[in-house]
Each structure stands twice: as structure tokens, then as C-alpha cells.
Amino acid sequence: MLSLRSLGILAAVTAAVVLAAGLAVFWRHDATISGLEDARAFPGLEQQIPDIARIEISWNRDAAVEQVSIARADGVWRVAEQNGYPADTGKIRDFILSLAELKLVEAKTADPARYARLGVSDVTAAGSEATRVRLLGRNGDAIVDALIGRDRSSGTGGAMLYLRQSGDARSWLAHGQVGSMHSMTAWTDGEVIDIGADRIQEIHLTAPNSDVLEVRRVDDSKTPFKLMNMPEDRKFATFYTLNEITDGLSQLTFEDVRAIQDMTFEPSLGNAIYQTRGGLTVIVDFAQVPGASGAVETWTHFSVNVAPDATEEAKSFAAANAERLSAWAYRLSDSRLQRLRHTMESATVPATEG
């Protein structure tokens, strides 16, 4: 039978072994980090930015590989899958810099059977959570070809992620963060048009049944707008309804965009016409097309006209936006679309309610 003294010695030895094992793990991990200090995942990428001519992003969705390609021609970045819709140069640069700033922290698994745990399986693999990023030079050479995997927060709260170079078995944990890459708005400025209520003079919203909702500026007070054809037995549905209508073109952003080819904008769906105080007219037409899920989606098309006596501001706005707006159709969020499609029925309720 062990004495108390023997038990104490055994406990001390056990504690020492556990401590030594823990320190060994710590020192090994610390040595890994020290050895990789400031080791960039993509060395020299920042200096190669001028040489990048194409960005290809691909991922797996519902067992199919989807892709977004952004190519640079004549100094302009354009999204290939959207018939060359202009990309946002600032977002492109920020994305490339986020890759350039990734720093390797620790080598991880080289076993393909364990890639899924880190989200770095090939995008062709069923259920892959990876995003493949390819930055190509002018001659089509790959400057970067990597799989970006799952995010992981560090003990200090810093952003981290897993990655693997395409064709390389070894995966890595890296310091840094790469933003969303799968949506159109990740690569474009997302704005369709921005005309605030302070610039609006008159609005006509025509419903599919041809009824017209007419809103007009009547003065320059704090409540300058009036619904001109409001029936006596009705009132606005909410306190904010009139503001929704007059702010219909304010900071208007899209969820998706496509070229207008093969899209029919039906007069039977109604339209929205906004006239500004400066002589600019914005016309919004609507089309209904099957979406990816099979459900019908409503898309919008914007056109602009200027009166002969329009202000220089209005003429400048038309010159800067008319060509872009005329070539593209935009899918808006349901809430923003509703602002452009209010009818007397949706905007008002019986005066006896409430």
C-alpha cells in the first residue's frame, strides 16, 4: 500500500509530466508562429496588382459550380457574367489587398479526407464550402490560385481563416479576412440611382389597372408634398407612407443586375414617373421574369429625360447616368420595389380605420 509520502511524490511527478507536455505543445505552436512571422500567404501580390487582368471566383452551390469573373479592359473592370456590367474599382482593390495581407500562422492538414473540416475541399467536391480565387495576369498566367475556407476567430479576437493553394495538399491557418465574394454587390457599387425627396417636384405611380397615384410638391414647408387625388373617405396607411413614395429614388440600390436583352417591360404592369425640380424626369418600367427558383421576379428599368430648360445639374446627371441606366435591368429588394409601386389601395386605408 502506498504511503502518503509516496502518493505525494507520484502526484508531483504526474503534474510535472503534464506540465512538460503542455509546455512542449505551447513551444511547438509558438515556434510555428515565430517561424512564420510576417510570412504572407501570397508573397509579392501587392506589387503585382497592376499586372492583374482577370479575377475568377468559383464555389459550389447545390452540387453545381458557380462562377463570377471580373476582367479589366482599357482600365475598366467589368463583370463577365453580367454582360460587362461595370465593377467597382475600389472594391476590386480592397479585395486584392485583403488577399495580399493574409499571413500564414500555422500549417494544418494535408489529408484530403479532413479538408471538409476546414472548408478547403475542391469546389467540385460535393458539399464543398470553399471559394476558389484565381487572379490572372495579362497572359492568363495564375498570380494567385487558392481555396479560401472557413473563418476562425483567434484567441485575441482577430480575424483568421483557413486556406489552401490549389494543387497543394497542405492547408493553412492564416491571419486576415476576405469579405463576401458570391454576390453581384460584392463587386459593384450597388447603387442604381440617388435622387432625394428634396429634389422631387411631382410623382405619378401608375398601377396595372391604370389608376394613377399623383403626389405633388405644393410648397416648401416641412410637409411639402400632397397626394393630389386622395379620396375624402381615405387616409394614408401609415405615418411614413408619403415619405416612402417621395423617397422612392433616394439611395436606391439593387440586389441583382442583368442586361435588358430578352426582357420585356410591359406597360400593363404600370410604371413610376418622378419629375425633379430641376427639369429631370426618371421613368421606371417593370418586367416579370422567372427567377432561379422558378418564382416570378419583378425587374425594373430606368430611363431619364431632361427638359430643354433643365438646370445644369439635371443635364449633368443625365449625361452621367443615362447610358448606364438604359442598358441594364435591376432587381430591387421587395421593400424598395414597393415604394415605386404604391397604389391608392396600398398607400391608403379607409378614414374610419384606427
Side-chain angles (χ1 to χ4, degrees):
M1 183 173 180
L2 291 175
S3 66
L4 289 177
R5 181 172 180 275
S6 298
L7 285 173
I9 293 172
L10 180 60
V13 170
T14 302
V17 170
V18 171
L19 177 62
L23 288 173
V25 171
F26 174 80
W27 287 329
R28 185 166 63 251
H29 182 261
D30 188 58
T32 300
I33 294 177
S34 299
L36 292 172
E37 187 174 359
D38 292 328
R40 303 281 176 163
F42 309 109
L45 177 56
E46 192 168 352
Q47 288 70 41
Q48 294 177 282
I49 290 177
D51 301 323
I52 299 171
R54 185 178 176 89
I55 300 170
E56 294 180 353
I57 309 296
S58 56
W59 63 95
N60 190 302
R61 177 177 292 167
D62 299 329
V65 176
E66 298 184 358
Q67 178 171 301
V68 171
S69 306
I70 306 98
R72 178 164 56 180
D74 300 324
V76 178
W77 288 96
R78 297 183 181 276
V79 183
E81 285 75 12
Q82 297 296 340
N83 301 98
Y85 191 81
D88 187 311
T89 302
K91 288 185 175 181
I92 296 292
R93 182 173 179 83
D94 288 347
F95 169 70
I96 296 174
L97 287 176
S98 71
L99 293 175
E101 292 169 359
L102 290 176
K103 295 180 181 179
L104 299 179
V105 173
E106 184 178 1
K108 306 302 288 186
T109 185
D111 181 1
R114 303 179 68 184
Y115 287 161
R117 297 174 59 187
L118 308 183
V120 294
S121 302
D122 290 340
V123 295
T124 55
S128 172
E129 297 179 40
T131 299
R132 186 179 183 184
V133 175
R134 300 182 74 224
L135 307 184
L136 306 178
R138 295 185 181 92
N139 298 322
D141 51 309
I143 296 173
V144 167
D145 189 348
L147 294 155
I148 304 298
R150 292 180 178 175
D151 294 334
R152 198 193 95 174
S153 59
S154 69
T156 59
M160 304 176 78
L161 55 77
Y162 296 105
L163 63 83
R164 182 168 66 88
Q165 303 277 7
S166 296
D168 187 358
R170 176 64 59 190
S171 55
W172 295 86
L173 177 65
H175 268 303
Q177 187 173 31
V178 179
S180 171
M181 296 175 276
H182 299 179
S183 67
M184 272 295 298
T185 52
W187 303 106
T188 63
D189 65 11
E191 184 177 284
V192 180
I193 199 168
D194 184 14
I195 300 177
D198 60 314
R199 296 164 61 188
I200 297 298
Q201 178 62 40
E202 194 168 325
I203 302 167
H204 293 81
L205 305 183
T206 302
N209 65 2
S210 299
D211 287 348
V212 178
L213 198 70
E214 181 182 351
V215 174
R216 187 178 301 168
R217 180 182 293 275
V218 293
D219 54 41
D220 287 319
S221 66
K222 291 184 178 180
T223 55
F225 293 101
K226 181 179 179 180
L227 178 54
M228 302 306 294
N229 51 347
M230 170 84 83
E232 292 184 1
D233 60 346
R234 297 186 72 83
K235 65 179 181 180
F236 282 114
T238 73
F239 179 79
Y240 302 103
T241 303
L242 187 58
N243 289 344
E244 287 183 0
I245 296 171
T246 57
D247 277 335
L249 302 183
S250 177
Q251 298 180 339
L252 185 59
T253 58
F254 66 84
E255 294 193 341
D256 201 357
V257 60
R258 64 171 68 170
I260 62 170
Q261 286 88 344
D262 302 324
M263 297 186 74
T264 302
F265 292 87
E266 295 283 357
S268 62
L269 296 175
N271 65 15
I273 300 176
Y274 284 73
Q275 296 177 345
T276 74
R277 306 172 81 177
L280 179 75
T281 299
V282 179
I283 303 170
V284 189
D285 294 304
F286 305 104
Q288 290 187 330
V289 298
S293 65
V296 174
E297 297 177 343
T298 299
W299 286 67
T300 58
H301 178 257
F302 294 75
S303 54
V304 297
N305 298 314
V306 287
D309 58 348
T311 63
E312 289 304 314
E313 180 186 18
K315 292 177 181 178
S316 176
F317 182 93
N321 293 279
E323 183 177 354
R324 172 181 60 86
L325 292 174
S326 66
W328 305 98
Y330 298 92
R331 182 169 61 80
L332 312 179
S333 68
D334 290 342
S335 61
R336 293 312 301 261
L337 181 64
Q338 176 59 38
R339 296 188 184 196
L340 304 174
R341 306 200 76 190
H342 263 303
T343 63
M344 190 65 71
E345 184 177 358
S346 69
T348 68
V349 296
T352 55
E353 286 190 10

